[in-house]
């Protein structure tokens, strides 16, 4: 549909949204707040995109990630859907989750991980503005925890 949409490109999005200026961080914070429908009270800080916790883990460079004291906000740009892409994005979530836990006693203090996928397609084909995914028990629709959230925002 929007194959000519030049802005939906990792390099361009990184240049636009990955910066340490106060104005840019405020802009990114507003984008995140709009998508997750929640106010972020703290200042966000840019994190180096290599989020791997082990040098032997592949696919450890995210597009953009910001953090607060209690959460990581990973922004991924996805041009085309594939199962491989889903696995890669899931690996990013796990690596970010593990990144904040250095010792066993820190399990209860680990950061929440929020992934925002800016997709050039409608992930679930339901014509929604934003899809929100979390870990949930299927038969009673009860959230397992609040540690991981995935938002898919169709740009196309």
């Amino acid at each position: 549909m929007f194959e000519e949409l030049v802005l939906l490109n990792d390099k361009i999005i990184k240049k636009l949204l990955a910066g340490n200026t106060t104005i840019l961080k405020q802009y990114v914070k507003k984008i995140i707040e709009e998508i997750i429908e929640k106010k972020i009270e703290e200042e966000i800080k840019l994190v180096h995109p290599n989020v791997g916790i082990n040098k032997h883990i592949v696919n450890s460079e995210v597009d953009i990630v910001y953090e607060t004291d209690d959460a990581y906000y990973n922004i991924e740009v996805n041009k085309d859907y594939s199962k491989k892409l889903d696995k890669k994005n899931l690996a990013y979530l796990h690596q970010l989750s593990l990144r904040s836990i250095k010792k066993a006693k820190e399990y209860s203090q680990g950061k929440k991980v929020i992934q925002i996928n800016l997709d050039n397609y409608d992930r679930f084909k339901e014509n929604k503005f934003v899809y929100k995914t979390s870990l949930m028990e299927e038969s009673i629709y009860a959230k397992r925890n609040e540690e991981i959230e995935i938002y898919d925002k169709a740009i196309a």
Side-chain angles (χ1 to χ4, degrees):
M1 178 184 258
F2 281 90
E3 293 171 1
E4 297 170 13
L5 184 60
V6 178
L7 289 177
L8 194 62
N9 173 297
D10 287 357
K11 291 178 184 176
I12 293 173
I13 292 294
K14 286 179 184 185
K15 290 229 185 257
L16 285 173
L17 301 181
N20 257 331
T21 67
T22 303
I23 292 173
L24 183 59
K25 286 192 284 188
Q26 289 172 347
Y27 177 69
V28 171
K29 187 175 174 181
K30 289 284 184 201
I31 291 171
I32 293 169
E33 289 173 339
E34 184 69 25
I35 291 172
I36 69 172
E37 296 181 329
K38 181 181 174 191
K39 181 105 172 102
I40 300 170
E41 299 299 331
E42 307 168 61
E43 178 183 338
I44 61 172
K45 295 169 253 165
L46 185 64
V47 175
H48 189 280
N50 188 341
V51 298
I53 56 166
N54 180 319
K55 66 181 179 180
H56 301 292
I57 296 176
V58 297
N59 296 328
S60 61
E61 187 159 323
V62 299
D63 290 343
I64 303 163
V65 65
Y66 283 88
E67 72 177 320
T68 60
D69 289 340
D70 62 349
Y72 287 111
Y73 299 90
N74 180 30
I75 302 171
E76 290 298 319
V77 176
N78 303 311
K79 184 177 178 193
D80 299 305
Y81 172 77
S82 70
K83 287 185 179 185
K84 177 183 174 183
L85 177 71
D86 261 358
K87 288 259 189 196
K88 186 170 80 168
N89 285 343
L90 195 55
Y92 296 155
L93 284 168
H94 294 309
Q95 289 179 68
L96 283 166
S97 183
L98 288 169
R99 186 181 178 141
S100 64
I101 301 169
K102 307 283 189 266
K103 300 174 188 164
K105 66 180 181 180
E106 295 176 344
Y107 277 112
S108 62
Q109 301 165 348
K111 293 185 182 199
K112 181 176 189 169
V113 180
I114 298 170
Q115 182 162 304
I116 298 170
N117 296 316
L118 302 176
D119 302 328
N120 195 39
Y121 51 87
D122 185 343
R123 175 63 179 87
F124 296 101
K125 298 175 178 61
E126 294 290 325
N127 294 319
K128 288 182 65 171
F129 181 67
V130 174
Y131 297 100
K132 179 181 178 184
T133 305
S134 59
L135 293 175
M136 186 174 296
E137 197 292 324
E138 291 182 13
S139 66
I140 60 173
Y141 303 105
K143 277 192 176 185
R144 182 175 193 94
N145 61 45
E146 301 288 332
E147 302 304 311
I148 291 177
E149 291 178 357
I150 304 168
Y151 294 83
D152 284 277
K153 167 68 179 100
I155 296 177

